[in-house]
C-alpha cells in the first residue's frame, strides 16, 4: 500500500490520453519532476545475452523523441555486446512519488558516432572522464588501478573537453509496445498499453 505521507496517486482517465505514447510519456515525466520524484530520468534497461538469458541494470535517459528513447554506453560493455548480438531491449521507469510505472520494449539502434560524441560532450566533465576511463565491464585488477586510470581520465577531460571516446555509443529504443501503469489505493490500478501497428498505435486496457 502506498503511504499517503509520501505518495500522491493521481486520477488517470485513459479515455483522455493522446493517440501515441511519446506525448503521454512527456506529460508524465514533467509531472514526476513537479512531484519531486528523485532522479526521474533513471530507468532499468533489460537486455539478453547471445543465449537468450536476461540481464538488467539502471541507466540514465538521455532523451525521448520521435526517434526513440535514448541511453548511452560503451559498445564493448556487457550491455553493448548484448545489444550488438540481440538489438532488442526493454526499459522500465518507476516513479513511486506518483505510484506510476512505464514499460517500453522494442528494437534498439545505434545513433551516428557524431551524435554520440555530441551527446557526451554536452554532459559534465565527470561524465567525459568516466567515458575516457573506458574498459567498462572488463575485469578490474584492483581499486588502485581504477583510481589511477580515473585520475588520468579526469586530467585529460579537464585539459581536452572535446576529447573523443570512440567506443561511446548513443542507443535509441523505438518501442513496439508501451505500457503506462497508474497505481490506485484500492488496487484498481489502471494499465494502458500502446501497441504499434502499420497504421498507428492501438490502445488497450489491461487487467491489473
Amino acid at each position: 500500500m502506498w503511504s499517503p505521507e509520501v505518495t500522491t496517486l493521481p486520477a488517470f482517465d485513459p479515455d483522455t490520453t493522446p493517440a501515441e505514447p511519446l506525448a503521454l510519456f512527456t506529460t508524465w515525466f514533467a509531472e514526476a519532476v513537479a512531484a519531486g520524484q528523485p532522479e526521474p530520468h533513471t530507468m532499468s534497461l533489460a537486455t539478453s545475452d547471445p543465449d537468450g538469458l536476461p540481464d538488467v541494470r539502471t541507466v540514465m535517459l538521455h532523451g525521448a523523441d520521435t526517434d526513440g528513447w535514448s541511453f548511452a554506453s560503451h559498445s564493448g560493455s556487457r550491455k553493448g555486446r548484448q545489444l550488438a548480438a540481440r538489438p532488442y531491449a526493454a526499459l522500465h521507469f518507476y516513479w513511486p512519488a506518483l505510484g506510476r510505472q512505464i514499460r517500453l520494449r522494442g528494437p534498439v539502434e545505434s545513433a551516428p558516432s557524431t551524435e554520440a560524441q555530441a551527446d557526451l560532450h554536452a554532459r559534465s566533465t565527470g561524465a567525459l572522464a568516466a567515458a575516457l576511463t573506458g574498459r567498462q565491464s572488463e575485469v578490474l585488477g584492483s581499486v588502485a588501478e581504477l583510481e589511477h586510470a580515473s585520475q588520468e581520465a579526469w586530467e585529460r577531460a579537464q585539459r581536452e573537453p572535446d576529447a573523443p571516446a570512440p567506443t561511446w555509443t548513443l542507443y535509441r529504443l523505438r518501442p513496439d509496445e508501451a505500457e503506462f501503469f497508474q497505481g490506485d489505493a484500492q488496487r484498481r490500478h489502471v494499465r494502458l498499453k500502446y501497441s504499434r501497428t502499420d497504421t498507428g498505435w492501438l490502445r488497450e486496457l489491461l487487467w491489473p
Side-chain angles (χ1 to χ4, degrees):
M1 191 90 179
W2 286 279
S3 170
E5 289 79 17
V6 295
T7 306
T8 300
L9 296 175
F12 177 43
D13 181 1
D15 292 334
T16 64
T17 54
E20 49 85 23
L22 177 60
L24 184 54
F25 175 85
T26 301
T27 297
W28 274 29
F29 187 91
E31 291 174 353
V33 172
Q37 173 63 53
E39 299 187 335
H41 57 292
T42 57
M43 58 188 183
S44 298
L45 166 66
T47 55
S48 55
D49 67 16
D51 296 322
L53 300 176
D55 208 347
V56 68
R57 75 286 287 161
T58 300
V59 298
M60 185 176 72
L61 175 71
H62 284 225
D65 54 30
T66 55
D67 291 328
W69 275 250
S70 301
F71 58 93
S73 183
H74 287 283
S75 59
S77 67
R78 176 180 285 188
K79 65 179 96 51
R81 296 194 306 270
Q82 290 172 350
L83 287 169
R86 289 174 174 260
Y88 199 93
L91 301 175
H92 176 252
F93 294 84
Y94 177 45
W95 297 326
L98 295 171
R100 286 176 170 173
Q101 301 181 58
I102 300 175
R103 299 167 61 201
L104 307 160
R105 65 176 184 168
V108 177
E109 294 183 347
S110 300
S113 178
T114 53
E115 292 186 30
Q117 296 302 307
D119 174 80
L120 175 61
H121 294 131
R123 300 174 66 201
S124 66
T125 301
L128 176 58
L132 292 173
T133 302
R135 307 183 201 178
Q136 192 174 34
S137 301
E138 294 181 15
V139 174
L140 174 67
S142 67
V143 174
E145 183 180 355
L146 171 61
E147 290 176 349
H148 178 72
S150 176
Q151 182 61 37
E152 287 189 341
W154 268 93
E155 291 172 0
R156 184 182 178 195
Q158 292 170 328
R159 186 174 64 251
E160 302 176 50
D162 294 325
T167 61
W168 189 254
T169 304
L170 184 67
Y171 296 96
R172 292 194 177 105
L173 183 146
R174 186 171 183 265
D176 290 329
E177 296 180 0
E179 182 190 323
F180 294 79
F181 173 103
Q182 175 60 67
D184 178 83
Q186 294 181 301
R187 302 294 175 179
R188 298 169 185 166
H189 313 312
V190 180
R191 295 176 63 190
L192 175 65
K193 178 185 174 183
Y194 288 81
S195 300
R196 190 186 295 274
T197 70
D198 292 337
T199 57
W201 290 93
L202 171 67
R203 284 178 291 175
E204 299 173 300
L205 292 176
L206 304 178
W207 282 86

